[in-house]
Amino acid sequence: MTCSTPAFTCRELDLEQGLLLIDGPQFDFDDFPAIAEQLLQQLDATVIERECNADLHLWLVDFEGCRLMLKGEHYSGALWLEGMAGDAADTLQFLATLLGRR
């Protein structure tokens, strides 16, 4: 199966805050795991740990040895990656190029 457009794109990269905001399919609280798995598959990243709060999903993920937090807030439909260390800026910048801009 071939997709002509990627499911996820870079909305904004904020290296000062260590954030990569992502546009993707709409999701609700119960849909997040399936949506997040699609994103991680597109990026070729893996889940290390999952946590779920009242309105926020927090997943610790690994991308080529760099630890990132994948966060999804279902009320606003926000999806983003956060760097866990100061050296994550290069990784976030690379991921933003992989996702491209909408």
Side-chain angles (χ1 to χ4, degrees), residues 3-76:
C3 289
S4 59
T5 58
F8 301 90
T9 57
C10 172
R11 179 187 320 156
E12 180 182 344
L13 175 62
D14 184 342
L15 292 176
E16 189 173 301
Q17 297 295 318
L19 299 174
L20 173 57
L21 304 175
I22 301 166
D23 281 329
Q26 294 293 319
F27 64 93
D28 62 26
F29 188 81
D30 296 326
D31 294 339
F32 180 81
I35 298 297
E37 290 289 349
Q38 289 175 20
L39 171 63
L40 296 178
Q41 183 177 0
Q42 183 175 330
L43 297 175
D44 198 24
T46 57
V47 178
I48 298 169
E49 188 176 314
R50 301 170 196 227
E51 182 179 324
C52 182
N53 294 320
D55 63 346
L56 184 67
H57 289 270
L58 307 163
W59 288 15
L60 178 62
V61 299
D62 177 80
F63 177 79
E64 297 183 358
C66 183
R67 301 278 171 105
L68 305 165
M69 289 298 296
L70 172 61
K71 297 185 178 182
E73 200 278 323
H74 75 278
Y75 289 123
S76 65

